[in-house]
Structure formats: structure tokens, C-alpha cells
């Protein structure tokens, strides 16, 4: 039961990676990385149950928070880069 | 009683992984960025939620259940906020959503630097 879920999550992570490589715009890539991160959280939680080790869930909690902070950080970083190009064009 | 929990958790896990899969496919096939956000955030909230609920039935009462509830809560809050921040940042940087008509997926909705 858990192995099926883990395999499906691995497939979805591969799909997210494909979008990350193919994504034309910068924000597609950020979206794909964010999606990849949340799937990692799910994979860690399911693997924790698969091997009967409940302490994996602590890793999953920390990873949810770090993933969120990193997406906000990347967006904040690229927000000013966008403005810089706009100033150069104007 | 135990069998009931197993059946319910199996259903939730399969349904959750199905929604994750549809979201993943949607992430690839949708024409432009803003529809892809819709596909990705569906998996964040619904797919993850169902999988977590499936795991909760397996866990039973205790610390593991509390951790699972925390993960579900954080991933719901973080997923939606991140999607909103991404859409706002994309709009501010001039990425216009494709409103009418067909769109080749190469440009992905990015404004052409003509």
C-alpha cells in the first residue's frame, strides 16, 4: 500500500523535474521546484511509515517549512532582478 | 475495527496519489504559467491532504498522529501562500496571463521582448 503511494510520488517528482527543465519562464521553474519540495515531504512521510520509523515525520515537518521559506526567498531575490531589467529598458 | 482503518487509509492513499498524479500531468500539459499554478497547487492541498489523512488512519492515537496533523497544517498554509506569492511576483514582473485564443507553449506567456 505504501509502496504504491511512494512510486506514484516518485513519478510526480519526475514530472515536476521535467517541467523544471522545460519551463520557458523563470517562474515555471520556481513553481516546479516548489512542487518537487512538497512531494519530497510526502515521500519522506510515506517512507517513514513504510519502514516503520516514526522519526522521519520530524524531517518532513522541517522540510515543509524550509521549502516554503526558500520559495519566498527566491521570489524576493528575483523580484528586484525583474525591476532592474525594466529600468534598463525604460 | 482494524480492517476498517486499513480500508479507509488505503482508499485515501490511492485517491491522494491519484490527485498528485493528475496535478503532475497538469503541470506539464497546461499551456501557460498561470494555469500551471492551478494544477500544482491542487496537488499541494488536496493530494497531500488525502495522503496525510490516509497515513493518519494508519498511525492511530499518539505522537505520530500529532506530527501528521502538524505536517498537514503547515503544508496547507505554506502551499497556498507560496502559490499566491508566485502569482503576484510573476504578474509584477510583466508575465501577462493568456486570456483569449490559442497560445504556443514555447513562449509560455512571457512577454515577447520586441
Amino acid at each position: 500500500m505504501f509502496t504504491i503511494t511512494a512510486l506514484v510520488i516518485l513519478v510526480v517528482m519526475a514530472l515536476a523535474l521535467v517541467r523544471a527543465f522545460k519551463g520557458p519562464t523563470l517562474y515555471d521553474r520556481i513553481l516546479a521546484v516548489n512542487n518537487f519540495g512538497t512531494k519530497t515531504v510526502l515521500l519522506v512521510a510515506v517512507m517513514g511509515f513504510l519502514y516503520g520509523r516514526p522519526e522521519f515525520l520530524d524531517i518532513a515537518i522541517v522540510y515543509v517549512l524550509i521549502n516554503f521559506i526558500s520559495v519566498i526567498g527566491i521570489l524576493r531575490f528575483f523580484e528586484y532582478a525583474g525591476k532592474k531589467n525594466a529600468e534598463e529598458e525604460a | 475495527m482494524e480492517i476498517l482503518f486499513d480500508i479507509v487509509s488505503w482508499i485515501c492513499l490511492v485517491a491522494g496519489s491519484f490527485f498528485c498524479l493528475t496535478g503532475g500531468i497538469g503541470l506539464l500539459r497546461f499551456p501557460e504559467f498561470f494555469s500551471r499554478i492551478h494544477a500544482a497547487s491542487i496537488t499541494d492541498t488536496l493530494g497531500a491532504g488525502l495522503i496525510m489523512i490516509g497515513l493518519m488512519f494508519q498511525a492511530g492515537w499518539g505522537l505520530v498522529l500529532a506530527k501528521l496533523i502538524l505536517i498537514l497544517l503547515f503544508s496547507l498554509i505554506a502551499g497556498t501562500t507560496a502559490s499566491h506569492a508566485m502569482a503576484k511576483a510573476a504578474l509584477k514582473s510583466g508575465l501577462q496571463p493568456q486570456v483569449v485564443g490559442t497560445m504556443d507553449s514555447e513562449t509560455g506567456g512571457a512577454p515577447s521582448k520586441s
Side-chain angles (χ1 to χ4, degrees):
Chain A
M1 172 167 58
F2 292 123
T3 47
I4 301 167
T5 318
L7 287 177
V8 169
I9 291 176
L10 281 174
V11 167
V12 174
M13 287 162 91
L15 291 176
L17 274 184
V18 167
R19 171 48 62 195
F21 289 129
K22 215 174 73 165
T25 60
L26 157 74
Y27 294 99
D28 291 314
R29 293 196 171 88
I30 297 176
L31 177 64
V33 165
N34 178 27
N35 201 16
F36 188 85
T38 45
K39 292 303 167 283
T40 318
V41 167
L42 288 177
L43 189 69
V44 164
V46 168
M47 282 301 182
F49 271 81
L50 191 61
Y51 295 122
R53 294 166 63 95
E55 51 274 9
F56 274 26
L57 294 178
D58 305 338
I59 304 172
I61 292 179
V62 170
Y63 200 80
V64 166
L65 298 171
I66 290 180
N67 185 33
F68 174 59
I69 302 294
S70 65
V71 167
I72 300 299
I74 293 173
L75 288 176
R76 178 66 57 181
F77 176 73
F78 280 111
E79 192 178 345
Y80 297 109
K83 224 175 237 92
K84 193 157 50 60
N85 305 346
E87 275 143 16
E88 277 148 21
E89 280 159 15
Chain B
M1 195 52 179
E2 189 56 38
I3 305 294
L4 177 69
F5 280 162
D6 281 348
I7 292 170
V8 170
S9 73
W10 203 82
I11 291 170
C12 284
L13 281 173
V14 168
S17 45
F18 166 71
F19 280 116
C20 278
L21 200 63
T22 48
I25 294 171
L27 195 66
L28 272 181
R29 285 189 56 81
F30 276 167
E32 47 96 29
F33 171 66
F34 288 95
S35 47
R36 281 183 208 127
I37 272 196
H38 178 63
S41 59
I42 275 186
T43 66
D44 281 350
T45 47
L46 191 54
L50 275 175
I51 286 180
M52 282 300 154
I53 290 168
L55 292 181
M56 278 179 200
F57 277 110
Q58 284 294 330
W61 300 103
L63 187 58
V64 176
L65 182 68
K67 286 180 192 170
L68 278 169
I69 291 174
L70 267 177
I71 294 177
L72 182 61
L73 198 67
F74 286 156
S75 88
L76 285 181
I77 294 173
T80 45
T81 321
S83 305
H84 173 73
M86 261 186 277
K88 194 163 77 73
L91 263 181
K92 188 187 285 187
S93 82
L95 184 66
Q96 289 309 320
Q98 171 60 37
V99 180
V100 173
T102 61
M103 244 273 309
D104 60 341
S105 67
E106 271 60 41
T107 60
S112 57
K113 297 276 186 298
S114 53

